[in-house]
């Protein structure tokens, strides 16, 4: 569903508005693509796989716009050449040429990233992996899947379903994001609580290094202690160390039974004890515990995400929690979930007002759609400043409220353009999505938000990026979560892999 929506969004982007960023654009000295370069690229790739405003291709610049514009319509590059290679060899040859000619390269997956990492800063070439979308192998016994990096996450899930397996990750952008993009951003999402991070489930990678060398580490082994685990460096490197072309990943057996329930809570203070109780009672079958504050819920409903709960169920609710269970025995799992609900409702001081339990696969999807649809609802409501932070669970509400009050004190709340300050996210992982929804992106709001939000995160010893990454948006804030020694080591690793600095320049490192 999302992929169709994205296609429409992209097609309708006609007059992108350039936003002034509070931090200046990164400075790098790289060459622009010229006609000789395009001539050379057209010997590596069929002309149909190249979009370029330069001869001999001469595409209309509007056709390049979707590749130059990020999902939030916040960051705009000026690339004149986009390539869609079909094989690892093609990627390698393009990158080798760019390395020799000192041309910047931006690896791009589904372009659903939320930190401006997948679009050029200036006129770097874009290498979009969308045409590398073949499944290379799947072993139904071990559950190990090997796929091209450009496979869309949802297509992989659809491929696995008849074979009784599921991907170990799931996110609202599944209809558009690529598995390569997921690995490059170390995407978290809705299943991390159960299946852990991609640092655990990715078993091997094939990567084209910034000089064009193909690093083949596409292992299908669960265990391999032969020195440094190089693939880990590429997981979460956001395209700054190389282009991921193939992914080997451990998928999970599909659960025989899945249930979900949305719980309406009278107070945020109840979230923590509720999480503790749900973990205690549901133990091994609890697979998601997601938090939605009241404003986020109201926005999701307003913009048609999922089906609204009954008036009576939401009355008096300050926030909501979506709990999912996945297990192997329907009767056992349902008994556990019903037991939890009964004990919550019958307690002397109930932690919840009500619980809405899905009764069919359609209702299961509708409840999930409320949570998954928040990002999209926010983008329909206005322009979002997105802070994806890790902080202690108990401080979620305080961070949202403090930010709202701060914006009020700066005179930018409501009358001054900020419409809503909302919080939602993966409570079970300590990950809050703090979104500030405004009429428009303005310097005044950005100045009010930064460094305020990052200093708030630092106060809680949190992370300025729980899962979306650093991209272009947060390079100036990296030091809030990484000390000088770590940043220095990151720089040395970057220059070891990419001495000419061509790979996704200006991203991640300040
Ligand atoms: C509605 C919605 C919901 C979302 N929910 C979540 C969520 O729950 N959890 C979460 O973590 N994120 C979420 N995101 C953010 C985003 O979807 C993820 O970051 C996703 O993993 C990006 O994948 P992509 O293929 O779109 O990558 P892109 O946006 O194309 O690129 C992202 C970064 O990865 C690099 N990259 C992409 N492909 C490659 C490659 N093959 N090799 C090397 N580098 C590459 C790019 O250069 C860029 O730096 C959401 C986004 C949206 C729009």
């Amino acid at each position: 569903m999302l992929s169709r929506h994205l296609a429409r969004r992209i097609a309708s982007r006609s007059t992108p508005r350039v936003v002034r960023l509070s931090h200046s654009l990164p400075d790098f000295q790289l060459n622009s693509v010229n006609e000789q370069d395009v001539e050379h690229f057209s010997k590596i790739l069929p002309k149909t796989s190249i979009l370029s405003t330069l001869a001999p291709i001469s595409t209309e610049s509007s056709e390049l716009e979707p590749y130059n514009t990020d999902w939030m319509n916040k960051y705009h590059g000026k690339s004149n050449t986009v390539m869609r290679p079909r094989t690892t060899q093609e990627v390698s040859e393009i990158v080798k040429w760019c390395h020799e000619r000192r041309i910047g390269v931006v690896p791009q997956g589904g372009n659903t990233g939320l930190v401006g990492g997948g679009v050029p800063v200036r006129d770097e070439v874009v290498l979009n992996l969308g045409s590398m979308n073949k499944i290379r192998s799947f072993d139904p016994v071990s559950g190990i899947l090997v796929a091209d990096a450009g496979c869309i996450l949802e297509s992989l899930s659809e491929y696995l379903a008849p074979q009784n397996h599921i991907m170990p990750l799931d996110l609202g952008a599944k209809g558009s994001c690529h598995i390569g993009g997921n690995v490059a951003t170390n995407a978290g999402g809705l299943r991390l609580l159960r299946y852990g991070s991609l640092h655990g489930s990715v078993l091997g990678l094939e990567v084209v290094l910034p000089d064009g060398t193909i690093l083949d580490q596409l292992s299908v082994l669960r265990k391999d202690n032969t020195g440094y685990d190089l693939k880990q460096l590429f997981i979460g490197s956001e395209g700054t160390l190389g282009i991921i072309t193939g992914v080997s990943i451990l998928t999970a057996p599909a659960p025989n039974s899945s249930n979900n329930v949305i719980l309406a809570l009278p107070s945020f203070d109840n979230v923590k004890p509720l999480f503790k109780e749900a973990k205690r009672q549901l133990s091994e079958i609890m697979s998601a515990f997601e938090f939605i504050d009241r404003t986020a819920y109201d926005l999701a409903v307003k913009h048609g995400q999922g089906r609204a709960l009954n008036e009576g169920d939401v009355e008096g609710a300050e926030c909501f929690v979506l709990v999912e269970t996945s297990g192997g025995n329907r009767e056992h799992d349902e008994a556990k979930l019903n037991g939890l609900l009964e004990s919550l409702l019958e307690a002397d001081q109930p932690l919840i007002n009500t619980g809405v339990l899905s009764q069919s696969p359609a209702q299961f999807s509708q409840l999930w759609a409320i949570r998954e649809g928040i990002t999209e609802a926010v983008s329909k409501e206005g322009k979002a400043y997105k802070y994806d932070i890790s902080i202690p669970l108990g401080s979620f509400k305080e961070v949202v409220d403090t930010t709202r009050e701060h914006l009020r004190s700066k005179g930018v709340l409501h009358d001054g353009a900020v419409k809503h300050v909302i919080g939602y996210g993966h409570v079970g992982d300590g990950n809050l999505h703090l979104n500030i929804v405004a009429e428009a992106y303005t310097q005044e709001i950005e100045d009010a938000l930064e460094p305020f939000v990052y200093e708030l995160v630092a106060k809680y010893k949190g992370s300025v990026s729980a899962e979306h990454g650093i991209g272009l948006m947060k390079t100036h804030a990296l030091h809030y979560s990484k000390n000088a020694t770590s940043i220095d080591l990151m720089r040395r690793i970057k220059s070891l892999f990419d001495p000419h600095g061509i790979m996704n320049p200006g991203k991640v490192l300040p």
Side-chain angles (χ1 to χ4, degrees):
M1 193 164 83
L2 184 73
S3 59
R4 265 182 272 126
H5 170 72
L6 273 183
R8 276 204 308 277
R9 273 177 69 96
I10 285 169
S12 66
R13 280 178 190 148
S14 51
T15 49
R17 211 173 37 79
V18 178
V19 180
R20 189 160 61 94
L21 298 169
S22 57
H23 43 108
S24 54
L25 283 180
D27 194 18
F28 47 80
Q29 300 288 319
L30 292 166
N31 291 321
S32 298
V33 178
N34 61 32
E35 290 185 356
Q36 287 73 40
D37 296 317
V38 179
E39 186 70 54
H40 181 81
F41 294 141
S42 53
K43 289 185 192 129
I44 302 172
L45 292 171
K47 289 199 170 108
T48 48
S49 300
I50 307 175
L51 299 173
S52 179
T53 53
L54 303 175
I57 304 290
S58 307
T59 316
E60 287 292 323
S61 62
S62 58
E63 284 189 51
L64 279 84
E65 216 170 78
Y67 301 91
N68 272 314
T69 308
D70 79 314
W71 193 84
M72 297 179 296
N73 203 5
K74 185 176 182 189
Y75 299 97
H76 305 278
K78 295 188 184 70
S79 181
N80 60 19
T81 303
V82 174
M83 285 174 273
R84 294 176 56 92
R86 298 156 307 168
T87 65
T88 304
Q89 195 56 40
E90 287 178 355
V91 175
S92 161
E93 286 178 41
I94 296 165
V95 173
K96 188 161 180 275
W97 179 263
C98 293
H99 174 76
E100 282 164 11
R101 281 265 303 119
R102 312 281 203 273
I103 293 170
V105 178
V106 178
Q108 188 177 77
N111 199 8
T112 66
L114 299 173
V115 289
V119 291
V121 174
R122 294 202 170 86
D123 62 355
E124 306 86 277
V125 297
V126 175
L127 238 80
N128 183 294
L129 277 281
S131 298
M132 287 189 66
N133 53 11
K134 294 194 181 53
I135 288 165
R136 300 192 191 178
S137 65
F138 176 65
D139 176 359
V141 178
S142 65
I144 296 168
L145 171 78
V146 182
D148 282 354
C151 288
I152 290 175
L153 180 59
E154 193 168 57
S155 315
L156 293 176
S157 297
E158 283 164 4
Y159 168 84
L160 290 171
Q163 321 212 44
N164 293 320
H165 278 75
I166 58 168
M167 291 298 284
L169 78 160
D170 186 22
L171 47 146
K174 59 180 156 248
S176 300
C177 64
H178 294 180
I179 187 66
N182 299 149
V183 173
T185 54
N186 187 24
L190 308 163
R191 290 185 183 153
L192 191 133
L193 187 69
R194 164 63 70 84
Y195 300 108
S197 101
L198 289 172
H199 281 294
S201 48
V202 171
L203 303 179
L205 292 177
E206 178 188 79
V207 182
V208 172
L209 300 177
D211 66 355
T213 306
I214 299 171
L215 173 69
D216 182 355
Q217 292 222 328
L218 213 46
S219 167
V220 288
L221 305 174
R222 291 288 305 269
K223 298 174 90 175
D224 177 15
N225 273 354
T226 51
Y228 307 140
D229 189 357
L230 295 177
K231 71 168 183 292
Q232 298 296 352
L233 276 175
F234 299 96
I235 302 174
S237 64
E238 299 180 59
T240 59
L241 298 180
I243 302 186
I244 299 166
T245 48
V247 176
S248 165
I249 189 165
L250 183 64
T251 67
N256 288 334
S257 124
S258 292
N259 297 294
N260 63 5
V261 60
I262 286 196
L263 306 171
L265 282 68
S267 157
F268 174 81
D269 294 338
N270 296 4
V271 175
K272 227 166 132 178
L274 177 65
F275 185 42
K276 204 170 148 211
E277 192 54 25
K279 273 202 293 189
R280 193 182 69 76
Q281 291 200 37
L282 299 174
S283 57
E284 84 290 352
I285 64 164
M286 187 163 89
S287 50
F289 190 94
E290 296 284 318
F291 167 70
I292 308 170
D293 78 11
R294 181 60 194 252
T295 322
Y297 169 84
D298 289 341
L299 278 184
V301 169
K302 175 177 170 189
H303 293 287
Q305 307 296 318
R307 215 175 64 198
L309 309 181
N310 294 332
E311 283 285 308
D313 291 328
V314 296
E315 206 182 302
E318 184 175 84
C319 60
F320 302 86
V321 161
L322 186 151
V323 180
E324 184 197 68
T325 62
S326 310
N329 183 318
R330 181 164 298 280
E331 272 176 33
H332 163 269
D333 298 354
E334 283 176 3
K336 266 189 157 179
L337 188 55
N338 285 326
L340 171 72
L341 284 178
E342 274 162 32
S343 72
L344 288 173
L345 289 166
E346 286 164 13
D348 290 340
Q349 289 182 321
L351 293 173
I352 61 170
N353 290 345
T354 51
V356 178
L357 187 65
S358 62
Q359 306 287 342
S360 66
Q363 286 179 7
F364 177 86
S365 305
Q366 281 162 359
L367 291 191
W368 259 122
I370 296 174
R371 165 61 190 90
E372 287 190 284
I374 298 173
T375 311
E376 208 158 334
V378 163
S379 78
K380 287 179 179 164
E381 179 72 8
K383 299 292 179 193
Y385 292 87
K386 288 179 166 290
Y387 297 94
D388 150 50
I389 56 185
S390 271
I391 44 169
L393 166 51
S395 51
F396 274 31
K397 183 168 186 294
E398 198 179 320
V399 165
V400 177
D401 290 348
T402 309
T403 305
R404 190 181 294 113
E405 283 319 305
H406 173 75
L407 292 173
R408 198 189 306 279
S409 74
K410 292 281 173 188
V412 291
L413 193 67
H414 303 314
D415 293 344
V418 170
K419 296 165 82 177
H420 312 283
V421 179
I422 67 169
Y424 61 98
H426 316 297
V427 167
D429 315 328
N431 177 185
L432 173 72
H433 293 315
L434 169 68
N435 282 203
I436 290 82
V437 192
E439 300 280 358
Y441 293 125
T442 70
Q443 194 63 41
E444 199 189 2
I445 300 174
E446 197 160 319
D447 289 345
L449 285 169
E450 296 185 17
F452 175 81
V453 172
Y454 297 128
E455 283 171 357
L456 198 57
V457 172
K459 191 179 115 189
Y460 293 105
K461 297 199 183 340
S463 167
V464 296
S465 175
E467 58 177 15
H468 294 162
I470 296 296
L472 180 62
M473 177 184 166
K474 297 181 197 159
T475 50
H476 64 297
L478 187 62
H479 68 278
Y480 287 101
S481 299
K482 287 264 187 297
N483 61 29
T485 310
S486 310
I487 294 178
D488 181 50
L489 268 175
M490 283 169 70
R491 273 191 209 289
R492 283 153 68 182
I493 291 169
K494 167 75 177 169
S495 60
L496 176 72
F497 278 79
D498 184 17
H500 298 166
I502 63 160
M503 203 46 78
N504 216 0
K507 313 293 170 53
V508 181
L509 280 161

